[in-house]
Amino acid sequence: MYKISCIHPTCRPELARETRDKWLKLAKKPSQIEYITCFDSFDKNEIKQKIKTYKNIIEIYEKYSFGIVKKCNSAAKLANANCIIVATDDTIPEQNWDEKLLDAADWSKKIVLNTSDGSEEVDKRPYMIKTVILSKKRYEELGYILHPEFSHVYCDNFHTWISHKDDVVIQRKDIMFEHLHPSMGKSEPDEFYTNASTEEEYVKGSNIFHNLVKKNFDKKAEEKMLKKFISESNPFKKYISAYVLITSGYNQNKLLAVIKKDEEVD
């Protein structure tokens, strides 16, 4: 029985295999990790064979798909462990990451873990969830790892929003999965990165994001989140509730009025 299912979507086969080796070498108990890589393939024989397995290493071959979302969801169908983490070509974990991950939470519950990725000094969005890590129970509840309407851009934004909306996030910023992102000068951009980072892709992703937020936030959910916002004493958790409300379209001035009224009562 594997304890961690590591799923890795990729369009860069050589780099993906190098990255996989690093992840397993940095693990304390690599034999307890099933590593599932989903490759874009243009080889008819590979696509026909579909899956190759060697011990805890599983390789899936599919026809080319733009972005990480489809490949993530395909790989997740084979995940057996209670803890699921998305690896990417440009993410490297810290030493003994598997042990730290398993000790961080009760993976039999519906949870999402928020760790560090080394971008916190540059990315000033404290609500943003870095590295997709969730329990199998949460995955089964959603039916996907990343929402299938996305191709790539904004899929992490929706993962962040719906995880906070459903109040399943556990903060563990003491655990590092470093993202060697080109925008931070930690790696060189290639054609895949460039193609996924166009203005057109961002507009498309943003539209999908806002449409999904509307579909997943009704009046009942708004009232529940507003109640949570009013009663919350922890400043960070209060901020998260505000983020969920404002992102869903709740009027910011109304929220400020609620804060003012709350302060007057105190």
Side-chain angles (χ1 to χ4, degrees):
M1 182 71 178
Y2 294 114
K3 293 188 176 180
I4 296 175
S5 293
C6 190
I7 62 175
H8 186 159
T10 187
C11 52
R12 309 173 183 91
E14 290 185 14
L15 180 57
R17 289 188 174 96
E18 290 174 10
T19 302
R20 178 177 66 194
D21 290 344
K22 290 176 183 177
W23 277 66
L24 293 174
K25 283 177 182 176
L26 288 167
K28 186 171 185 178
K29 295 180 180 178
S31 62
Q32 294 184 354
I33 302 164
E34 63 173 353
Y35 202 107
I36 309 164
T37 310
C38 187
F39 297 90
D40 282 325
S41 180
F42 299 94
D43 186 321
K44 290 181 180 179
N45 291 326
E46 281 185 339
I47 294 170
K48 187 176 181 180
Q49 185 176 1
K50 183 69 175 176
I51 300 172
K52 293 179 184 177
T53 303
Y54 178 72
K55 293 184 178 179
N56 62 324
I57 294 175
I58 301 165
E59 296 187 347
I60 305 172
Y61 298 89
E62 292 199 339
K63 292 180 181 179
Y64 171 80
S65 60
F66 180 80
I68 69 168
V69 174
K70 186 177 179 181
K71 289 183 279 287
C72 266
N73 291 334
S74 293
K77 291 175 183 177
L78 298 181
N80 293 298
N82 283 338
C83 173
I84 302 173
I85 179 169
V86 175
T88 61
D89 298 335
D90 59 357
T91 303
I92 303 297
E94 62 177 295
Q95 187 75 46
N96 298 333
W97 61 271
D98 55 327
E99 181 181 54
K100 293 171 183 177
L101 215 56
L102 292 171
D103 290 343
D106 180 353
W107 292 101
S108 66
K109 296 181 179 179
K110 296 177 185 177
I111 59 165
V112 169
L113 204 66
N114 187 18
T115 56
S116 294
D117 75 346
S119 69
E120 282 74 14
E121 289 187 9
V122 176
D123 186 351
K124 302 300 183 182
R125 299 175 296 171
Y127 56 84
M128 200 69 186
I129 294 175
K130 307 300 180 70
T131 306
V132 178
I133 311 169
L134 68 166
S135 64
K136 188 171 185 181
K137 198 166 185 179
R138 173 62 174 170
Y139 162 61
E140 290 172 341
E141 177 185 45
L142 292 172
Y144 56 82
I145 296 292
L146 297 169
H147 198 286
E149 286 191 30
F150 294 99
S151 296
H152 190 85
V153 178
Y154 268 86
C155 65
D156 54 343
N157 298 72
F158 187 70
H159 170 70
T160 294
W161 180 83
I162 200 167
S163 298
H164 286 309
K165 191 268 284 188
D166 292 345
D167 196 20
V168 295
V169 181
I170 295 175
Q171 300 290 342
R172 286 302 303 264
K173 287 294 185 178
D174 56 312
I175 303 173
M176 171 70 79
F177 292 88
E178 188 175 11
H179 189 185
L180 307 176
H181 203 280
S183 67
M184 297 183 65
K186 294 184 177 183
S187 64
E188 292 295 323
D190 61 14
E191 62 177 309
F192 302 108
Y193 172 80
T194 302
N195 291 340
S197 304
T198 63
E199 182 179 354
E200 182 183 1
E201 286 300 318
Y202 273 94
V203 170
K204 178 183 174 184
S206 177
N207 289 337
I208 294 170
F209 171 77
H210 289 292
N211 286 335
L212 286 174
V213 166
K214 289 177 183 177
K215 289 179 183 178
N216 287 273
F217 204 75
D218 56 16
K219 195 66 180 177
K220 186 176 180 181
E222 181 184 283
E223 290 172 357
K224 182 179 179 181
M225 187 57 62
L226 188 58
K227 186 177 180 180
K228 180 176 175 60
F229 172 81
I230 293 168
S231 62
E232 185 57 68
S233 57
N234 181 292
F236 180 73
K237 290 183 178 179
K238 200 175 190 73
Y239 166 81
I240 292 298
S241 299
Y243 153 72
V244 172
L245 284 162
I246 293 169
T247 303
S248 67
Y250 193 85
N251 187 281
Q252 193 166 350
N253 290 330
K254 285 174 68 177
L255 201 60
L256 289 171
V258 170
I259 296 171
K260 186 177 180 181
K261 185 178 179 181
D262 196 32
E263 289 174 344
E264 288 172 355
V265 171
D266 290 341

